Amino acid sequence: MPEIKTNDLDAMLEYAVKMKATDIHLTVGSKPMLRLRSLLQPLESSQPMSQEDTREIAVACLDEEKLAVLKQNGVVDSSFSRNGLGRFRINIYKQRGTYAIAIRIQPFVIPKFDSLGLPPVIKNFARLKKGLVLITGVTGSGKSTTLASLIDLINEERQCHVITVEDPIEYLHKHKRSIVNQREIGMDAPSFSVALRSILREDPDVILIGEMRDMETVGIALTAAETGHLVFSTLHTVGAAKTVDRIIDNFPPNQQDQIRSQLATVLEGVVSQQLVPSADRSRLIPVTEVMVATPAVRNLIREGKPHMLNSIIQTGANEGMHSLDANLAELCFKGLIAKEEGLSRAQDKQYFQQLINKRW
């Protein structure tokens, strides 16, 4: 391929989309790097980035307000679109006195839920009328895509008002049977807490909170779910037990019993997910843990025993539940991912090995 100039962001974006990369990393002294099937690979047809290259790209991607934030805080999040290519989430940060840039590639078209390879039980969460549904996982695990597909399903099937609060907006939703209003932090509201304080006065049926970041955000999400709204949000946790712990730990000890009771009442499900390279390294495969809020699950949360949730999940197949390790073992058995990859990702390696031994 022809050489791509280090300050030609559009050419980099076009090539990255063509190669089905998920991310682009630009840093001084290194060639542009693409994340392909979870591995970083250099853009061989380019030269190492200079300080001027990253500064020029940063200035081109940000308006004056965002540039001021970058200069003051040393980091800023934003997003932008390119016709025919897609939408891009960008994080620009300072390192060693220069700018470094991470770009996440989002397609314009929201993937249909059935194309994602996720368990059908997750689709049921989109058909609830109220409650709290959490999609969890580390950065880059596909949480935003899962949520976007669920919101799109609601948009196609129901006549309701959906409000999203995101930082930044990743997927753009068109109005279908529902109306979908999307608020971006920094553009439409100064913070999550400010946006959420007024959200119940905006007559929503469904609320998407990009991330439950602090005590106030969690409290508003619980209250919204308790007052008859369907609330979706994310946490950077792995597994239902750790997710419950994280929510409770946001609050001081004298409030935790009340929050446990509230969470036990409103929680409808927790989905934890990862993206794992396929056995032939040709694509990424979603691996999930699903917990459905059965009466037994609610009791454990109310009694402050989240460490016992894993046992409920492992034996809850009739309710649509499964553990991350069980899903990993199933994908290994089908030959979709390598056993070594499954073992390295397993939460309980001994349990995973027992599942594998039963199959082979």
Side-chain angles (χ1 to χ4, degrees), residues 2 52 58 68 96 122-123 127-129 131 136 141 145 173 198 212 229 247 252 258 269 276 298-299 304-305 332:
E52 180 60 27
R96 298 185 184 181
I122 298 175
K123 186 187 289 189
R127 290 165 177 154
L128 297 170
K129 300 301 181 185
T136 74
S141 58
T145 300
H173 292 270
S198 63
M212 296 202 303
H229 303 83
I247 291 172
Q258 173 196 338
V276 178
R298 296 186 193 279
N299 285 337
K305 300 176 181 177
C332 289

Side-chain angles (χ1 to χ4, degrees), residues 1 4-5 8-27 30-46 49 88 101-105 284:
M1 61 172 296
I4 293 178
K5 294 181 180 179
D8 191 347
L9 180 60
D10 284 351
M12 291 183 204
L13 295 174
E14 185 175 352
Y15 182 72
V17 169
K18 178 182 177 182
M19 296 300 293
K20 298 183 179 179
T22 57
D23 301 86
I24 304 172
H25 290 271
L26 307 176
T27 192
S30 168
K31 289 185 177 185
M33 303 288 282
L34 306 184
R35 189 174 293 280
L36 297 165
R37 295 173 291 280
S38 80
L39 299 177
L40 282 179
Q41 299 181 20
L43 185 58
E44 296 293 357
S45 63
S46 187
M49 303 287 294
F88 304 90
I101 302 170
I103 302 173
R104 170 64 51 84
I105 299 168
L284 294 174

Side-chain angles (χ1 to χ4, degrees), residues 164-177:
T164 77
V165 182
E166 304 171 72
D167 182 21
I169 292 172
E170 298 187 44
Y171 287 93
L172 298 177
H173 292 270
K174 298 178 180 179
H175 306 304
K176 297 179 182 178
R177 293 193 70 192

Side-chain angles (χ1 to χ4, degrees), residues 134-171:
L134 299 173
I135 310 296
T136 74
V138 300
T139 300
S141 58
K143 300 186 299 295
S144 297
T145 300
T146 298
L147 280 172
S149 72
L150 291 174
I151 294 298
D152 191 55
L153 187 66
I154 292 170
N155 196 8
E156 290 180 339
E157 293 184 351
R158 293 167 55 183
Q159 293 172 288
C160 61
H161 182 201
V162 180
I163 296 181
T164 77
V165 182
E166 304 171 72
D167 182 21
I169 292 172
E170 298 187 44
Y171 287 93

Side-chain angles (χ1 to χ4, degrees), residues 28 49-60 67 99 101:
V28 174
M49 303 287 294
S50 69
Q51 183 172 341
E52 180 60 27
D53 291 331
T54 58
R55 191 199 68 80
E56 187 176 328
I57 290 173
V59 170
L67 275 172
Y99 291 135
I101 302 170

